[in-house]
Amino acid sequence: MADSTIEQSSERTAATASGSTRRGFGIDVGGSGVKGGVVDLDTGALVGDRIKILTPQPSTPEAIAATVREIVTQAGWEGPVGLTLPAVVTAGVARTAANIDKSWIGTDACALFGAALDGRPVTVLNDADAAGMAEDRYGAGKDVDGVVVLLTFGTGIGSAILNHGVLLPNTEFGHMEVSGQEAEHRASSAAKERHDWSYKEWSKEVSRVLTRIEDLLWPDLFVAGGGISRKAEKWIPHLTNRTPVVAASLQNTAGIVGAALAAQTSIGT
Ligand code: BGC
């Protein structure tokens, strides 16, 4: 059995309820951890525990599918499941594979997870798209009725665009060229560490990326996600782009919550 940790959420109830139309189950597949939990779809809060299992290495489709099955079994969940991948996902098929085993490319993730979960309905979508849906519905973007762009800063940069709550899936702004360099090579939090930049130094690179995106999309709000958003007060004040930037508020549950929401609304497949 893989190493697993159970993290308690604020609402301490047994994570066994399933079948309710107002509850869903989401699993966020990342490069270092696979995390899942039951979500209250009215509030976006986790119901019960957040279950985390270290991502198996190599992170092949079969190994991840076994981990996903273990999480759902541990939770005792019997309903539909939404899942994220750090990949472009079209019609349930992974088309790219950033920070996950390359054998995902071309894998029918929906069929794979569906089979691993005894044929129940599953929905698979890009990780940043899930986080964007969650932040737009329940978190930092919930009061903005316009175009919200969420960017996740981590090993790479993930992106999601929502217009009046509707997602345009699989935008990949992390791979956009900005002044001769891919945005995520320039301004991910991994780039900050690689260059040993201060928050202020790094924020110049983030500003360049945000300026390029806002010149093309004219969003009403940027939501900054990823682990580094927990230190938002150290870098958001240094940004020089024109669109307001706020830190994500759901933190490490956004992917789970967005996946559960997507499964309910069947965005993705
Ligand atoms: C990938 C995206 C992903 C992001 C965050 C990027 O490198 O291309 O699909 O959303 O990393 O994981």
Side-chain angles (χ1 to χ4, degrees):
M1 199 202 267
D3 287 346
S4 75
T5 53
I6 306 257
E7 292 165 15
Q8 252 168 256
S9 66
S10 45
E11 208 182 325
R12 181 90 180 86
T13 31
T16 50
S18 57
S20 155
T21 50
R22 298 313 309 162
R23 285 192 177 176
F25 197 89
I27 298 190
D28 191 18
V29 176
S32 55
V34 183
K35 295 136 290 187
V38 178
V39 177
D40 177 332
L41 293 168
D42 289 324
T43 63
L46 285 203
V47 181
D49 298 320
R50 174 179 180 267
I51 302 171
K52 178 177 176 185
I53 297 184
L54 294 181
T55 304
Q57 298 301 335
S59 50
T60 57
E62 294 68 31
I64 299 274
T67 306
V68 159
R69 185 180 170 85
E70 192 177 325
I71 289 177
V72 172
T73 305
Q74 271 189 35
W77 178 259
E78 286 166 8
V81 173
L83 300 110
T84 77
L85 287 175
V88 169
V89 181
T90 59
V93 176
R95 312 303 297 263
T96 62
N99 313 314
I100 199 163
D101 197 82
K102 297 297 170 233
S103 59
W104 276 95
I105 297 172
T107 296
D108 187 335
C110 228
L112 176 80
F113 291 132
L117 297 174
D118 305 318
R120 77 182 79 198
V122 298
T123 299
V124 185
L125 75 166
N126 172 265
D127 55 358
D129 282 346
M133 285 177 67
E135 289 291 342
D136 190 66
R137 173 73 68 96
Y138 309 107
K142 74 175 191 304
D143 296 325
V144 175
D145 191 22
V147 176
V148 173
V149 172
L150 168 119
L151 297 173
T152 59
F153 295 90
T155 312
I157 295 180
S159 59
I161 302 181
L162 292 111
N163 181 27
H164 297 282
V166 178
L167 175 74
L168 173 66
N170 292 310
T171 55
E172 287 281 323
F173 283 103
H175 300 292
M176 183 173 63
E177 193 180 307
V178 178
S179 307
Q181 201 183 359
E182 251 183 88
E184 73 176 26
H185 293 164
R186 179 178 281 292
S188 60
S189 54
K192 176 180 180 301
E193 278 169 37
R194 200 169 54 242
H195 294 282
D196 200 21
W197 281 328
S198 65
Y199 282 101
K200 195 170 177 187
E201 286 167 326
W202 177 64
S203 69
K204 282 189 198 147
E205 300 301 331
V206 177
S207 295
R208 279 205 220 210
V209 170
L210 297 181
T211 301
R212 182 98 165 90
I213 295 174
E214 68 193 1
D215 284 349
L216 298 173
L217 293 176
W218 289 81
D220 296 291
L221 181 73
F222 281 116
V223 178
I228 204 157
S229 64
R230 272 176 236 142
K231 298 272 163 61
E233 75 288 350
K234 296 193 180 209
W235 58 276
I236 287 185
H238 295 300
L239 296 173
T240 55
N241 66 293
R242 65 175 175 270
T243 309
V245 182
V246 296
S249 63
L250 298 177
Q251 308 285 354
N252 62 8
T253 65
I256 297 173
V257 173
L261 184 60
Q264 196 215 24
T265 53
S266 277
I267 291 174
T269 316

